[in-house]
Amino acid sequence: MKILLAGGAGYIGSHTAVALLEAGHQVVVLDNYDNSSPEAIHRVEELTGKKVSLYEGDATDHKRVLDLMQREQPDCVIHFAGLKAVGESIEQPLRYYRNNIDTTLTLLESMAETGCKKIVFSSSATVYGAENAAPCHELMPKGSCTNPYGWTKSMMEQILQDAAVADKDLSVVLLRYFNPIGAHESGRIGENPRGIPNNLMPYVTQVAVGKREKLTVFGGDYDTPDGTCLRDYIHVMDLAEGHVKAVEFGANHTGVDIINLGTGQPYSVLDIVHTFQEVNGIKVNYEIGPRRSGDLPVVYADASKAQKVLGWQAKRTLADMCRDSWNWQKNNPDGYE
Ligand code: NAD
Ligand code: UDP
């Protein structure tokens, strides 16, 4: 199949491009490099020995997307394109709503105009909200989000579901990611955050490499075994392989399926720090600080639907995630620059 990856030069998109190419699919990437670099795709080509059709452009630019779709005629779109920094979304809500929702509408409209009927969407565990106790199951009603980023995901899910009601030939796979970390085992591609990282693992690796002085663990007084929050960390290559399965599932599917991509195994913030130190033989300075507003104590997936419907299950361990994150960071201390 030929797959258009909107936002495909980013962290998850670039790893998914590798997995798709290795599975024998063709890959087209559209990205405006708002949070990425074309170098990621050059390295995808180098790793796989295969070509990617790479387009610089904005997924909110209807003419650009339509021209591309008419020329490439993809069988399926994977929609990664979006802004994802939670704190920034609180400061700049309109920018987040504009970009994230507009990319979704523009992609859906261009698909309708060119007869493309398959879309896989990057959603998030954040849509379960505080109302649902872990493990999060796809049949749970969505909850209330604590920030505009989360609301964009919730709204985009709704838009995609409504589009599938109106067009019975449309296939929508809503993938709810838990916490992707790690990097391709080669250390050639990985997560490349701009500025101060918001997420735990890039912060840990930047402390380890000496770019930041110490990690602040947000809260040590939660009602969890070691007092720090529990999350479902998933290796980005497992996540990438989940997308290959989702695209192949979508090929013979219509309607909407919501599927969690997680491991089902929760780990604490201190589990991450300790495993990272042990696996890599490197110290990570940290201190326990105050809680971060909006953080839920425990979030992890019920991962059984992905196994049943996609025949997919995460294979890589927390040690693999910590080793590969460090391998990427130490070989690329300044990311793709
Ligand atoms: P990323 O920022 O690395 O990738 C997103 C890509 O989209 C970037 O390359 C960016 O330049 C591009 N982009 C943004 N707006 C665009 C636009 N208007 N037109 C074209 N390209 C645009 O983020 P990621 O971690 O790879 O995440 C991919 C998707 O998965 C995002 O939608 C994100 O919200 C979602 N997600 C990520 C996580 C996570 O922890 N990384 C968790 C849940 C969901
Ligand atoms: N966290 C932390 N210090 C940091 C960043 C994150 O203690 O500098 C914690 C955060 O409180 C959460 C976990 O690490 O419990 C994962 O946070 P992240 O932002 O990576 O993902 P989230 O699950 O919040 O989307």
Side-chain angles (χ1 to χ4, degrees), residues 16-337:
T16 301
V18 170
L20 286 167
L21 290 165
E22 283 176 347
H25 298 292
Q26 286 173 269
V27 171
V28 180
V29 167
L30 171 68
D31 206 299
N32 64 0
Y33 308 128
D34 183 88
N35 193 38
S36 57
S37 157
E39 177 60 17
I41 297 301
H42 301 147
R43 296 193 187 182
V44 166
E45 292 180 324
E46 163 206 298
L47 283 171
T48 58
K50 295 183 177 164
K51 277 296 291 171
V52 172
S53 303
L54 180 57
Y55 293 83
E56 178 171 2
D58 202 298
T60 65
D61 178 344
H62 181 250
K63 187 175 178 313
R64 180 83 175 121
V65 177
L66 188 60
D67 284 351
L68 185 165
M69 301 265 306
Q70 278 167 341
R71 184 198 299 203
E72 294 285 353
Q73 299 283 330
D75 301 295
C76 175
V77 173
I78 310 184
H79 179 12
F80 298 104
L83 303 173
K84 64 162 186 177
V86 168
E88 193 180 66
S89 80
I90 296 168
E91 286 154 21
Q92 303 172 27
L94 302 186
R95 181 170 160 240
Y96 271 67
Y97 286 113
R98 167 64 68 193
N99 188 71
N100 290 3
I101 290 173
D102 202 346
T103 53
T104 306
L105 295 174
T106 305
L107 288 167
L108 280 171
E109 285 166 355
S110 306
M111 286 171 63
E113 286 164 285
T114 54
C116 178
K117 297 290 183 188
K118 315 282 178 193
I119 183 163
V120 173
F121 176 63
S122 298
S123 191
S124 165
T126 194
V127 303
Y128 286 108
E131 291 85 345
N132 290 301
C136 302
H137 189 281
E138 293 88 345
L139 290 174
M140 289 171 162
K142 285 190 296 185
S144 32
C145 300
T146 53
N147 56 75
Y149 165 73
W151 282 118
T152 68
K153 290 293 173 198
S154 189
M155 289 175 188
M156 291 186 285
E157 283 199 358
Q158 187 64 47
I159 290 167
L160 286 152
Q161 283 169 314
D162 291 342
V165 170
D167 180 353
K168 301 287 177 227
D169 296 328
L170 200 61
S171 161
V172 173
V173 182
L174 302 177
L175 297 179
R176 291 183 179 162
Y177 310 155
F178 282 69
N179 289 60
I181 59 171
H184 189 266
E185 61 177 10
S186 64
R188 295 291 292 154
I189 56 172
E191 187 168 11
N192 186 27
R194 294 233 161 101
I196 302 170
N198 301 288
N199 295 109
L200 177 62
M201 184 54 93
Y203 209 103
V204 167
T205 61
Q206 292 198 6
V207 171
V209 85
K211 285 180 116 174
R212 318 238 161 242
E213 193 198 332
K214 68 168 86 131
L215 170 76
T216 302
V217 174
F218 296 144
D221 58 352
Y222 285 99
D223 185 15
T224 58
D226 66 15
T228 68
C229 292
L230 300 179
R231 293 287 182 275
D232 186 336
Y233 297 95
I234 174 168
H235 195 295
V236 68
M237 282 311 298
D238 277 329
L239 193 73
E241 288 159 14
H243 286 75
V244 177
K245 296 288 189 187
V247 163
E248 291 169 354
F249 166 75
N252 302 305
H253 168 263
T254 53
V256 180
D257 257 276
I258 300 175
I259 304 177
N260 288 338
L261 293 183
T263 65
Q265 169 70 56
Y267 286 106
S268 74
V269 178
L270 291 180
D271 288 334
I272 297 281
V273 173
H274 294 146
T275 307
F276 187 93
Q277 295 188 135
E278 273 160 39
V279 170
N280 298 313
I282 186 157
K283 179 133 182 55
V284 177
N285 291 324
Y286 73 89
E287 65 182 5
I288 307 282
R291 294 180 177 195
R292 179 172 69 178
S293 135
D295 276 349
L296 299 174
V298 182
V299 182
Y300 64 96
D302 177 324
S304 54
K305 183 172 177 185
Q307 192 173 4
K308 197 161 126 212
V309 174
L310 303 181
W312 169 92
Q313 198 179 1
K315 303 191 287 252
R316 295 164 178 88
T317 63
L318 189 64
D320 295 332
M321 301 179 213
C322 291
R323 188 198 55 233
D324 292 338
S325 291
W326 178 232
N327 190 34
W328 153 254
Q329 176 74 77
K330 75 171 187 257
N331 288 315
N332 305 271
D334 297 314
Y336 293 112
E337 277 134 46

